[in-house]
Amino acid sequence: MFANLPYYTVVALTIIGFATVLLKRNLVKMTMGLNILTAAVNLLIIVLGFRAGGIAPIYTMAPQTEMVLPTPQALVLTSIVIGVATTALLLSFTMVIYRKYGTTNVDEIRELRE
Amino acid sequence: MISPFIWNNAVVLTVAVPLLAAFLCPLIGMFTETGRKAWVLAAAAITSALALFTAWKVYTYGTWVYVFGASVPNLTVPADSGGIPVRIMFEVDAMSALMLVIVAILGFVVILYSTMADDKRSGKAGYYTLFLLLIASIIGMVSTGDLFNFFVFFEISGLASAGLIAYRVEKGRAVEAGLKYFLVSTLAGIFMLFVIAILYGQYNALNIAMIAERMQYTSLDKLALVLIIGALATKAGSVPMHFWTPDAYGLAPSAVTALLVVASQASLYGLFRMTFTMYNLTLNAVTVGWILIILGVLSMFVGVTMAIPQKDVKRLMAYHAISQTGYMLLGVGTGLAVLGNVAMMDAFGQMAMEGGIFHIINHALYKGLLFLTAGAIIYRVGTRDMNKMGGLGHKMKWTMVFFMIGALAIAGIPPFNGFASKLMIYESVYLFNPVLAIIAMVVSILTLASFVKVFHSIFMGPQLPEYEHVEEAPRPMLWAMGILAVLVILFGIFPQHVVNYLITPAANALIDQSGYITAVLGGV
């Protein structure tokens, strides 16, 4: 039960993230939802990479040569960096839209529906 | 003649050159405006030359695997790695090489076009940085042999495209289109990351060849497949996830739109690569094949019917782009549906796939040409509304000729290239299921009808007084369109040569999963 707690967290975060993206009409909140979704997937990768009793791959400190492969951590680092860029761009779009249209509600942003 | 350095490293330089050029672009622009123009053009030309060279080498010597950070570039599985290809690698086979040819042609042409079309606009520093980044990311997407690397380039292409779509704010409308595109693209990216988590958790590998070899098709893999199809079909602009396409294609600057078509096709390539190379026979070929076919038929039909009532010339062309994507999905989906059935594969599956793949390159050429002509018209006339245009044939003769070539090619009229690939799709799909072939033909006729109307309302009729001073498009734009028009005609007149040299090896590369795996893991 307790060992699977991280996975339950992943599921909960995914549901919260999806619900936020799909149900909220505010662009800032939708951006938050996307961030929560990204966090869920990042957590999933980290949890998958966890090995009980594993040894961190710091060569000078390791007691033996068998160490955990740090690929998942590297993936998540990259993914976090991408997430920051994504969020920055989304928020700057939101800013421009608020300046031009005076709203951040997606239902009112409908200049393009013809 | 070619130095050994380039000979050995060209495949990486295709990504490195535009990346470096992209970020030096604002710096050079601070000192000289003309210098930046020359710099961007030179970067695009060198990238295209390297990409064409890479493609040529792959077609001549076979799949090219390049491992990053290894002592020798072809050391795929280091001795102490326990048999797992731990390093990131590029793996360019004939299918990737075909995509490289497309990027090479379109990348150079749109930059050439853009140096003139966007000459008078402001903010060129960031514009060309994003432009070159987009080219680099597309090249990366089609050459990589690593799933996570694919995701990274996928996200870069999403970021760069969204930035470019929204670049000319257009009273906020372009930003709205960019935002719509980017929300969808980010969601697709999260799906891809989830797929990576699922596959890495099961197979301890990120290398596409390694995953392909270990693929079990468990229920988790089925979930991953659904997410892959969802994410990549969305980014390719297929119905029912097509809603971003008309906005984004319609409001992006025309040179960008032409490149966005290629970016969408890179996603399509990703879809084919994952289904054929990673899953191949383990998946339920008939079901997944039919899913692709249904997506294709829906895209064809919805795209063309939505295109007919449009008034905005670029929006109309965007709907046609959706419709044409359907042909590729139909052709390759038919190939997938009969994968593993040797008799049916020989009878029509191979040909359907070749038709679908041939249509990718043809579509890039004529759709690129059409978007560029639309851009030239908007550049001179200043409106996108076709009801306000008319009689432009008197002044813009060359643009009219190029538009005609593109329109006849997209409608599948001989002797242009669209006819060649569509004929292959009709013939082969008819043997698979006659109804599908008939739908494809009807869509083609509707496309022709739509473009006849567009042609008439833009170019025909008496010269309008408000367009008395309209001139022919500037030279660099005409050259850019001319290159594409010549290729459209050449591909239409000599389809057999193109199919033999470019398309058949590409289709075989997709079908032949073991070839892709062996190139990385060595003979088993």
Side-chain angles (χ1 to χ4, degrees):
Chain A
M1 168 67 205
F2 190 69
N4 281 337
L5 194 61
Y7 291 101
Y8 295 132
T9 320
V10 170
V11 173
L13 283 177
T14 311
I15 293 171
I16 295 171
F18 254 117
T20 320
V21 174
L22 296 178
L23 301 178
K24 293 288 175 191
R25 310 310 322 154
N26 187 321
L27 276 175
V28 178
K29 286 182 184 165
M30 286 171 80
T31 310
M32 286 176 176
L34 281 176
N35 269 319
I36 295 173
L37 261 181
T38 319
V41 183
N42 285 345
L43 182 62
L44 176 65
I45 298 177
I46 286 290
V47 170
L48 287 172
F50 176 75
R51 292 285 173 271
I55 291 162
I58 308 167
Y59 277 78
T60 47
M61 304 284 279
Q64 62 198 62
T65 51
E66 209 156 84
M67 289 166 273
V68 174
L69 193 67
T71 314
Q73 283 82 351
L75 301 189
V76 169
L77 267 182
T78 317
S79 150
I80 289 173
V81 173
I82 292 174
V84 170
T86 310
T87 313
L89 191 59
L90 272 175
L91 289 177
S92 50
F93 280 179
T94 312
M95 220 167 70
V96 177
I97 285 194
Y98 185 72
R99 271 192 206 145
K100 297 283 176 187
Y101 293 177
T103 176
T104 53
N105 186 329
V106 280
D107 288 331
E108 290 165 29
I109 303 170
R110 42 170 64 230
E111 288 275 308
L112 285 175
R113 289 184 198 163
E114 287 155 35
Chain B
M1 193 186 83
I2 296 169
S3 77
F5 177 74
I6 292 179
W7 180 269
N8 290 326
N9 299 296
V11 65
V12 183
L13 290 174
T14 48
V15 178
V17 168
L19 267 183
L20 183 72
F23 290 108
L24 282 180
C25 181
L27 195 69
I28 292 172
M30 280 165 69
F31 302 109
T32 138
E33 193 73 13
T34 344
R36 174 172 56 212
K37 211 191 253 184
W39 172 261
V40 173
L41 257 179
I46 292 171
T47 311
S48 296
L50 285 168
L52 285 176
F53 169 72
T54 309
W56 170 81
K57 204 179 157 191
V58 169
Y59 275 116
T60 315
Y61 296 99
T63 306
W64 187 355
V65 180
Y66 188 100
V67 185
F68 289 92
S71 49
V72 278
N74 56 7
L75 181 70
T76 49
V77 186
D80 55 353
S81 71
I84 296 174
V86 283
R87 292 195 170 96
I88 292 175
M89 60 180 73
F90 272 12
E91 180 168 8
V92 183
D93 65 358
M95 183 65 205
S96 313
L98 178 73
M99 298 303 294
L100 280 180
V101 172
I102 299 176
V103 190
I105 297 170
L106 264 287
F108 177 69
V109 165
V110 294
I111 292 267
L112 176 66
Y113 180 92
S114 156
T115 50
M116 192 67 222
D118 300 309
D119 201 28
K120 296 194 186 71
R121 319 289 295 256
S122 58
K124 286 200 284 286
Y127 185 72
Y128 285 115
T129 306
L130 288 172
F131 224 127
L132 289 170
L133 259 182
L134 182 55
I135 293 179
S137 69
I138 297 172
I139 292 177
M141 268 170 85
V142 300
S143 353
T144 189
D146 185 282
L147 205 51
F148 192 75
N149 204 223
F150 180 84
F151 164 76
V152 172
F153 283 120
F154 183 82
E155 286 284 355
I156 296 174
S157 100
L159 281 161
S161 319
L164 285 170
I165 293 165
Y167 210 82
R168 313 277 172 232
V169 177
E170 311 249 0
K171 300 194 183 91
R173 292 168 74 231
V175 179
E176 187 187 334
L179 181 83
K180 205 182 264 184
Y181 169 80
F182 198 47
L183 276 175
V184 172
S185 164
T186 311
L187 212 54
I190 291 172
F191 281 5
M192 284 308 292
L193 195 60
F194 196 49
V195 167
I196 290 167
I198 292 173
L199 294 177
Y200 185 76
Q202 287 188 96
Y203 304 118
N204 288 324
L206 290 168
N207 192 286
I208 294 178
M210 190 77 208
I211 296 174
E213 213 221 9
R214 294 183 169 180
M215 178 58 66
Q216 302 293 323
Y217 204 48
T218 59
S219 48
L220 274 174
D221 291 334
K222 286 178 193 166
L223 174 65
L225 182 64
V226 172
L227 290 173
I228 288 173
I229 294 178
L232 294 175
T234 307
K235 284 273 292 213
S238 135
V239 171
M241 295 82 81
H242 65 286
F243 46 85
W244 62 269
T245 327
D247 299 342
Y249 284 10
L251 281 158
S254 297
V256 174
T257 316
L259 200 57
L260 278 180
V261 173
V262 185
S264 302
Q265 291 181 334
S267 295
L268 204 62
Y269 157 85
L271 179 60
F272 297 157
R273 170 63 75 213
M274 307 283 163
T275 43
F276 277 92
T277 302
M278 224 161 71
Y279 285 85
N280 203 275
L281 279 179
T282 59
L283 54 66
N284 189 342
V286 178
T287 319
V288 181
W290 269 101
I291 291 174
L292 292 191
I293 291 171
I294 290 168
L295 284 178
V297 171
L298 276 176
S299 303
M300 282 195 302
F301 203 73
V302 174
V304 81
T305 43
M306 295 288 284
I308 289 171
Q310 298 299 323
K311 292 192 290 290
D312 180 329
V313 55
K314 281 180 74 186
R315 231 181 137 75
L316 179 137
M317 288 182 181
Y319 276 111
H320 280 298
I322 298 173
S323 158
Q324 298 301 312
T325 308
Y327 282 93
M328 303 161 204
L329 284 168
L330 173 63
V332 179
T334 307
L336 185 61
V338 297
L339 190 68
N341 183 332
V342 179
M344 282 160 101
M345 201 68 193
D346 285 342
F348 57 83
Q350 173 89 19
M351 194 174 177
M353 283 191 66
E354 285 172 11
I357 294 168
F358 194 14
H359 206 63
I360 295 181
I361 188 164
N362 288 341
H363 176 68
L365 294 175
Y366 62 65
K367 200 67 190 182
L369 175 61
L370 281 173
F371 275 124
L372 294 188
T373 52
I377 295 163
I378 296 168
Y379 180 77
R380 282 304 190 203
V381 178
T383 175
R384 300 156 174 277
D385 192 341
M386 286 188 293
N387 294 346
K388 291 185 187 148
M389 297 178 191
L392 290 173
H394 297 280
K395 294 282 188 181
M396 305 180 78
K397 291 202 173 57
W398 280 107
T399 313
M400 179 173 78
V401 170
F402 293 145
F403 182 91
M404 262 171 79
I405 292 171
L408 291 174
I410 196 175
I413 304 293
F416 300 103
N417 62 358
F419 171 73
S421 48
K422 282 187 179 175
L423 187 69
M424 288 170 79
I425 295 175
Y426 299 152
E427 279 183 4
S428 50
V429 173
Y430 188 83
L431 293 174
F432 177 67
N433 189 330
V435 180
L436 295 175
I438 290 165
I439 296 175
M441 283 181 217
V442 171
V443 169
S444 221
I445 293 164
L446 288 173
T447 309
L448 180 63
S450 166
F451 270 98
V452 167
K453 194 194 92 180
V454 175
F455 181 73
H456 193 82
S457 67
I458 296 180
F459 293 107
M460 292 289 111
Q463 194 168 346
L464 296 179
E466 63 264 42
Y467 300 138
E468 203 133 276
H469 303 294
V470 167
E471 287 170 38
E472 181 56 275
R475 282 280 168 74
M477 290 163 79
L478 284 181
W479 286 334
M481 292 185 270
I483 293 172
L484 290 178
V486 167
L487 284 171
V488 166
I489 295 174
L490 279 181
F491 276 37
I493 297 178
F494 305 108
Q496 210 49 49
H497 292 79
V498 181
V499 170
N500 286 345
Y501 289 120
L502 293 178
I503 311 300
T504 310
N508 286 336
L510 269 189
I511 298 167
D512 179 21
Q513 183 199 25
S514 59
Y516 194 88
I517 297 173
T518 318
V520 173
L521 299 177
V524 181

